[in-house]
Amino acid sequence: QKEVEQDPGPLSVPEGAIVSLNCTYSNSAFQYFMWYRQYSRKGPELLMYTYSSGNKEDGRFTAQVDKSSKYISLFIRDSQPSDSATYLCAMSAASKLTFGTGTRLQVTL
Amino acid sequence: ETGVTQSPTHLIKTRGQQVTLRCSSQSGHNTVSWYQQALGQGPQFIFQYYREEENGRGNFPPRFSGLQFPNYSSELNVNALELDDSALYLCASGTTAGAYEQYFGPGTRLTVT
C-alpha cells in the first residue's frame, strides 16, 4: 500500500465549476501537507501548504486537512481553463516530501 | 517563475554511462532536494542537502550522489545508468531543513537508451 493515495483522474469539469481534489495517507508522522500544480513539461508549482487540521484559503483555492481521518482536500472555486493541469498532493516528514501520483484536471469552455 | 534553474533541459545517455545534472537555487535558500519523476507518477525523493551536508535520503542506490556548493548551486550525479533511470529529475530549494515550502525548478528530462 502506498503512503499517499490520489485518484489519477482524469477529471473533466466545465468552466466555473467547483473542483474537489483529494488524497488519503497512512503515515501518522506526516506534519505538513502541500498542494502543487504541474503543467505539462514543467516543474511542480507550490500552491499552498498547511500544518494543522482545518481549512486554509488563498484566493480561489481552499486546502482542507483532517488528520483524524488522514484525508486532505483542495477545492478550486470558479475554475478556469488555465487551471487545467496535474495537481499533486504532497506530505512531509523531516526532510522528505512524499507525493501522490497526481490528478489530471481538464477545465473545458 | 521560482528562480530555481536546472541544466540541461534534456539529455540522452547510453546505459552504463555517468551523468551530472545541475541546479541553481534561489538566493538565500540553504536547502536543496532532488526528486525523480517517472512518467505519470509523482516525484520520488532522492536526497536533500542542507548547508552542504546530506540531510536525508530516499530509497535510491549509492550510484545516485550529490553535492551542494556555497553559491546555491548543486549537482546530482548518477553512475552506471540503467534504462529505468529515464525520468524527469527535479531540483527543489527552500530555506529550512524541513520539506515544506520547497520551490521546484523546471527539471531535466533524462533518457537512457
Side-chain angles (χ1 to χ4, degrees):
Chain A
Q1 183 188 4
K2 291 183 178 180
E3 285 187 288
V4 179
E5 298 280 356
Q6 184 175 12
D7 187 334
L11 179 63
S12 182
V13 300
E15 183 180 10
I18 297 174
V19 176
S20 172
L21 304 166
N22 311 295
C23 289
T24 59
Y25 64 95
S26 57
N27 188 346
S28 298
F30 289 139
Q31 296 178 311
Y32 286 86
F33 304 88
M34 276 66 64
W35 285 96
Y36 284 85
R37 178 174 63 194
Q38 187 173 27
Y39 292 111
S40 181
R41 300 183 180 277
K42 300 286 187 181
E45 171 193 1
L46 179 62
L47 292 174
M48 302 176 70
Y49 71 91
T50 56
Y51 176 71
S52 58
S53 286
N55 294 351
K56 182 177 182 180
E57 189 173 318
D58 185 359
R60 296 185 296 112
F61 299 92
T62 299
Q64 192 173 77
V65 174
D66 182 348
K67 286 188 175 181
S68 63
S69 301
K70 296 189 175 64
Y71 188 88
I72 70 170
S73 300
L74 178 71
F75 298 96
I76 307 174
R77 290 182 298 280
D78 188 24
S79 56
Q80 304 295 310
S82 58
D83 294 327
S84 298
T86 296
Y87 289 80
L88 296 154
C89 64
M91 307 176 189
S92 73
S95 62
K96 173 184 174 182
L97 274 179
T98 301
F99 283 85
T101 54
T103 299
R104 190 154 58 92
L105 172 67
Q106 181 73 37
V107 181
T108 58
L109 291 170
Chain B
E1 295 294 326
T2 63
V4 180
T5 60
Q6 293 186 242
S7 63
T9 305
H10 296 94
L11 201 52
I12 299 174
K13 288 286 191 179
T14 303
R15 188 172 52 184
Q17 286 187 316
Q18 178 266 343
V19 68
T20 297
L21 309 182
R22 294 181 171 83
C23 171
S24 179
S25 304
Q26 280 186 222
S27 178
H29 283 193
N30 51 21
T31 298
V32 65
S33 301
W34 286 89
Y35 291 81
Q36 179 195 67
Q37 186 177 23
L39 201 61
Q41 300 296 317
Q44 298 290 313
F45 176 70
I46 303 175
F47 43 59
Q48 184 192 78
Y49 279 80
Y50 175 62
R51 295 180 176 174
E52 302 166 44
E53 298 283 334
E54 188 176 294
N55 183 47
R57 188 179 183 93
N59 294 326
F60 281 82
R63 60 188 184 86
F64 286 78
S65 63
L67 285 171
Q68 183 186 23
F69 303 102
N71 64 351
Y72 306 113
S73 67
S74 64
E75 291 180 354
L76 166 66
N77 298 288
V78 186
N79 294 321
L81 284 166
E82 301 177 359
L83 296 179
D84 284 349
D85 295 334
S86 296
L88 181 68
Y89 288 85
L90 296 159
C91 159
S93 72
T95 57
T96 72
Y100 63 96
E101 203 172 8
Q102 290 192 357
Y103 298 92
F104 282 80
T108 293
R109 184 159 300 282
L110 172 65
T111 302
V112 182
T113 62

